Amino acid sequence: MSTIIYPSPIFGPVHSRRLGISLGINLLPADGKVCSFDCIYCECGFNEDHRPSLPLPTRQEVALALEKKLQEMEIEGQLPDVLTFAGNGEPTCHPHFAEIIDDTILLRNQYCPNAKVCVLSNSTMIHRQQVHDALMKVDDNILKLDTVDPIYINKVDHPNGTYDVNTIIERMKAFHGHIIIQTMFMRGACNGENVDNTGEEYVDPWLEVVKQIKPQQVMVYTIDRETPAQGLEKASREQLDAIRDRVIAAGIPCSASY
C-alpha cells in the first residue's frame, strides 16, 4: 500500500482535479500525519502508521517558504491559480492558523493577486472563533461533509474526540453562504461493513442539509488514489453525475470529480 506524505510547509505546484494549478501549503510536519479525522480513504494513510517526529512548521517558516516559492514561480512565468492549505492532515489544527492565513493573503496580493486562497478542511475546528474568522477571509472555504449520518461518520471518517454532526451543520450555516461543501462518495466495504453512501438513504438527507446550509458551491468527488483500507471502490460517473444534477436542481452550483 502506497501513501502520500507531503513536504512541509510548501509542496507542488500540482494539478488539482477541482482547483487548477495549486501550490500546496502544509501546516503539518513533513514526516507524518496529524489529523482530527482518520478516514479510511485518506491518501496520507492511517494516523497510527505515520506518527511524526518533526514539529509543526512555525508561522515564520511558512511565510518565508511561501514567499521563496512564489518568487521562483514568478521567474518561471507560471504563477499558481490557487494557494491551497492541505497536506498531511487538518490545517486548522495549527495553533497559528489564523495568523498564517493573514500572511498568505498578503503574499498572494503581492505576487499573484489573481490566485485564490483555498482551505481544505474536515470542519472539526470551525467552532473556534479564530478559525471561523480566518476562513471567512479566504476565497474558497472548502469544508467536508461526507454524510449527515453519525454511524457512517464514525465508521468511515473516524473522528478523534467528540464529533457532533448537528453542531457541525449549525457552524456551517454560520458562514452565511461563504462555504463550499466537499463530499466523498464511494462504494465497497471495509472490515466486512458496507461503506456505500451513494444510495438514497444517504443522499436525500445529505441534500436536505446542504439546502439548509446554502453554500456557494458543492464539490462531489470519489476515490482517486490508493486508500489505506482495502475493499473501497470508486463511485461511478453516473452516480456522481446524478447527485450533482440533484444539487444543481436545488439551485446550488455543483461539480463532480471522478
Side-chain angles (χ1 to χ4, degrees), residues 42-54:
C42 181
E43 64 186 22
C44 296
F46 289 126
N47 293 349
E48 65 179 13
D49 296 330
H50 300 281
R51 299 293 184 193
S53 60
L54 296 174

Side-chain angles (χ1 to χ4, degrees), residues 9-10 25-27 57-71 85 99-108 110-111:
I10 305 299
I25 303 173
N26 176 22
L27 301 187
T58 67
R59 174 185 178 182
Q60 184 180 34
E61 287 170 342
V62 175
L64 289 173
L66 177 58
E67 183 165 30
K68 180 181 177 182
K69 186 62 179 180
L70 289 175
Q71 287 171 342
F85 285 82
E99 294 92 338
I100 291 170
I101 288 293
D102 288 339
D103 296 341
T104 300
I105 290 172
L106 287 173
L107 289 169
R108 183 276 308 274
Q110 180 178 352
Y111 290 99

Side-chain angles (χ1 to χ4, degrees), residues 211-232:
K211 292 176 186 177
Q212 295 171 24
I213 296 170
K214 300 178 181 177
Q216 66 192 63
Q217 184 184 349
V218 173
M219 295 176 172
V220 297
Y221 70 120
T222 192
I223 296 165
D224 186 45
R225 300 185 175 96
E226 190 170 355
T227 60
Q230 302 302 302
L232 309 184

